[in-house]
Amino acid sequence: MRIKLTAEPGSARNNKTGSWRVERRPQFLQKNCSACRMCILVCPEGIVSGKEKNSFKTDYLYCKGCGLCAAVCPKKDIEMVPEETESKK
Amino acid sequence: MKDFIEGSEAVARAVCLCKPGVISAYPITPQTHIVEGLAQMVADGRLKCQFVNVESEHSAASVVLGAVAAGERVFTASSSQGLILMSEVIFNIAGMRMPVVLACVNRSLSAPINIWNDLQDSMALRDSGWVQLYAENNQEALDLTIQAYRLAEDSRALVPVMVCLDGYVLSHGLEVVDIPEEDKVAQFLPPFNPAEKLDTANPKSFGLLAGPDYYLEIRHDLHQAVKDTLKLIPEITADFKRIFGRDSGGLVESYRLEDAEMAIVSAGSVCGTIKDTVDNLRAEGKKVGLLRIITYRPFPEELILQALAKVPMVAILDKAISLGATGPIYADLKAAFQGKPGKKISGYIAGLGGRDITPDTIKEIFQQLAGPEVSNQFIGLKSSF
Ligand code: SF4
Ligand code: SF4
């Protein structure tokens, strides 16, 4: 067999699938965040991290730009911005 | 030891000698006797094996896929609608390079419902990445089953193998079969020891996603692996002969083709009838012969070209049809001979749904072959009912 057909646990990390993202990405404003953790819960990629208020962020290497985190945030503290927008952080 | 047994029992005894760890199947006519026989062997303690009863053929194929991935030698069998219900898993088994051995007892496909023999079921799965071997008689059904494990599990192959035997004609027909001794089978077939398997202590995933960046290469790899068994099969049959003392299986069989002016190409038990007819026609001075395809996938194109190089008229007898096109063997043969003019190649369809193919049918094909070149001529078609 010339091509290995099995994968070790956690190897999905090797694929930087953030390149699949089109048009918009979430911007974590870190202004009104209440640390409710809803964004962590809904992110289908499991890549949102943070503990303290106004510390939450995502990993753009994997973020697909689905917008679920922005939609769920009760504080409207996550904004979907066009991909070409300069990062504030 | 010689015994007078059905083709189904020949396969069951062969499987028992290969000692699979897991068998799963769902009953379907005319395959049922194989797994009934195996279930009895397991119940009697003659075969130490887990026999998993399931609610469908899709599940049976899934059970053996899981078990072989966990490192067990496995077996399943089916026919017709059952095989087609398995087909989603059949493609996965090949794609995951799992050495499953399956006996297909060939039967027509519905609708209309028909339980009799033709090759439409396995032919429909010729593109699945499985090696397909077609038995002519019960002895060969037994021998091919043992060879199938050796081939499938060879680390150079790792492809599944389907052993096809004609429903009723072989599965329920009795013949004297030489059943090999256990120690010889053990000598021929090393224990199954896959390099990678499902293991909780060393977790891994099988059957992963491959995007457009990888899929083409993986498919090419499987295609190449199936094609490469063309080299392994002669090696395995030579070793089989060394240990068991008989020629059995292989890629193709040439029968009285030297100096032949006409030849029929076919596969399976009908080749026995063709051989008898060839002998009778030869006795009348007609220069006719047979090329029997034993290994249909991979397609042994080079050997077929060589065997038929000097035969000016070739008839293909397909017991299956790609509806709206031609018989499958005809299409492959025609493609093999593309760019090589000076040969008449005609395609005939016969025996669908168990319509008997008699020596007269074979004679009619030889007669028609002398006439105009055709691509999908049905033989024995009634004009009115
Ligand atoms: S946009 Fe989607 S993928 Fe990206 S961080 Fe938000 S929820 Fe996760
Ligand atoms: S959902 Fe909004 S408020 Fe809640 S933790 Fe995430 S960013 Fe903060």
Side-chain angles (χ1 to χ4, degrees):
Chain A
M1 215 181 304
R2 275 155 291 216
I3 302 171
K4 191 168 175 273
L5 293 180
T6 56
E8 318 312 323
S11 56
R13 276 190 202 99
N14 301 338
N15 301 315
K16 306 288 186 289
T17 47
S19 63
W20 299 3
R21 195 170 64 244
V22 286
E23 289 184 8
R24 296 185 329 142
R25 67 169 192 267
Q27 187 109 263
F28 286 68
L29 303 178
Q30 303 189 342
K31 283 183 184 146
N32 298 318
C33 170
S34 61
C36 71
R37 301 173 58 84
M38 284 300 286
C39 49
I40 293 185
L41 197 71
V42 296
C43 174
E45 297 296 325
I47 44 157
V48 177
S49 57
K51 264 198 180 130
E52 309 304 327
K53 287 179 185 174
N54 298 321
S55 77
F56 288 73
K57 59 179 179 1
T58 185
D59 187 339
Y60 292 117
L61 287 177
Y62 305 99
C63 167
K64 305 290 182 297
C66 69
L68 284 175
C69 51
V72 81
C73 177
K75 295 289 180 188
K76 306 264 176 284
D77 206 35
I78 307 171
E79 204 182 324
M80 296 305 288
V81 299
E83 200 58 78
E84 52 279 8
T85 312
E86 233 176 273
S87 178
K88 290 194 182 132
K89 285 243 144 201
Chain B
M1 184 191 81
K2 290 201 167 144
D3 211 343
F4 187 54
I5 53 174
E6 283 186 339
S8 298
E9 192 174 343
V11 172
R13 297 246 198 129
V15 171
C16 184
L17 286 163
C18 296
K19 302 188 171 34
V22 174
I23 298 173
S24 185
Y26 190 80
I28 185 165
T29 298
Q31 169 283 132
T32 307
H33 287 185
I34 297 179
V35 286
E36 254 176 27
L38 285 165
Q40 193 65 54
M41 291 172 195
V42 174
D44 294 348
R46 280 179 283 155
L47 172 61
K48 288 199 177 26
C49 168
Q50 205 168 336
F51 193 104
V52 184
N53 287 306
V54 284
E55 83 296 350
S56 77
E57 285 86 355
H58 188 280
S59 298
S62 301
V63 165
V64 294
L65 168 56
V68 78
E72 283 297 331
R73 180 171 290 160
V74 298
F75 178 75
T76 187
S78 199
S79 290
S80 182
Q81 304 309 112
L83 189 75
I84 296 305
L85 183 54
M86 280 183 176
S87 64
E88 191 259 340
V89 190
I90 292 282
F91 279 79
N92 271 302
I93 288 170
M96 291 162 74
R97 305 289 297 273
M98 293 297 170
V100 172
V101 171
L102 177 151
C104 169
V105 180
N106 289 110
R107 168 187 147 182
S108 66
L109 291 172
S110 300
I113 292 181
N114 173 296
I115 58 166
W116 290 271
N117 166 247
D118 64 33
L119 300 185
Q120 292 186 87
D121 50 1
S122 57
M123 285 287 170
L125 293 178
R126 72 195 163 151
D127 301 337
S128 59
W130 284 58
V131 170
Q132 287 195 336
L133 309 173
Y134 288 81
E136 181 188 336
N137 51 48
N138 291 354
Q139 182 71 61
E140 202 175 40
L142 178 142
D143 295 344
L144 288 178
T145 304
I146 297 172
Q147 292 176 10
Y149 281 105
R150 168 84 178 261
L151 175 64
E153 293 170 6
D154 191 307
S155 62
R156 295 167 294 174
L158 290 177
V159 286
V161 181
M162 192 179 294
V163 177
C164 303
L165 60 151
D166 286 305
Y168 300 109
V169 184
L170 299 186
S171 66
H172 292 59
L174 291 122
E175 283 182 333
V176 174
V177 176
D178 186 359
I179 297 148
E181 291 85 28
E182 221 177 298
D183 57 324
K184 282 193 178 166
V185 176
Q187 198 188 328
F188 176 74
L189 181 67
F192 178 42
N193 224 336
E196 294 206 88
K197 60 179 179 181
L198 290 174
D199 177 3
T200 47
N202 179 23
K204 279 190 179 113
S205 299
F206 288 68
L208 301 146
L209 174 86
D213 291 351
Y214 303 102
Y215 186 89
L216 186 73
E217 284 70 21
I218 293 171
R219 277 325 240 189
H220 176 259
D221 206 18
L222 173 58
H223 169 60
Q224 208 56 49
V226 175
K227 283 206 339 188
D228 286 350
T229 61
L230 287 173
K231 287 177 235 130
L232 298 180
I233 290 168
E235 194 183 296
I236 288 169
T237 47
D239 207 39
F240 188 87
K241 186 175 185 185
R242 184 179 63 80
I243 294 171
F244 301 99
R246 69 175 160 266
D247 268 317
S248 202
L251 299 170
V252 296
E253 180 196 359
S254 294
Y255 188 76
R256 306 192 75 169
L257 279 180
E258 67 299 329
D259 83 337
E261 283 161 7
M262 288 184 174
I264 293 183
V265 180
S266 201
S269 66
V270 74
C271 293
T273 313
I274 301 174
K275 284 176 181 172
D276 277 357
T277 314
V278 163
D279 289 348
N280 292 337
L281 290 171
R282 282 263 175 189
E284 295 169 17
K286 304 229 168 65
K287 292 184 171 169
V288 293
L290 160 75
L291 181 70
R292 180 166 74 96
I293 294 177
I294 306 165
T295 302
Y296 177 57
R297 282 292 179 271
F299 193 63
E301 188 172 308
E302 285 304 316
L303 278 182
I304 291 172
L305 288 176
Q306 275 170 31
L308 297 174
K310 295 204 182 86
V311 185
M313 289 181 272
V314 178
I316 293 92
L317 195 178
D318 268 300
K319 283 169 68 176
I321 181 162
S322 173
L323 296 162
T326 63
I329 304 178
Y330 168 82
D332 291 332
L333 217 90
K334 195 75 180 161
F337 279 100
Q338 57 103 8
K340 295 181 174 60
K343 196 183 288 291
K344 185 193 281 182
I345 301 176
S346 280
Y348 301 95
I349 314 292
L352 300 189
R355 181 74 56 87
D356 275 340
I357 297 179
T358 66
D360 284 340
T361 321
I362 307 301
K363 281 184 194 153
E364 191 185 335
I365 290 174
F366 278 125
Q367 271 160 20
Q368 288 206 19
L369 181 59
E373 196 167 23
V374 293
S375 59
N376 55 92
Q377 182 71 45
F378 277 61
I379 299 291
L381 205 58
K382 289 182 214 151
S383 48
S384 60
F385 288 91

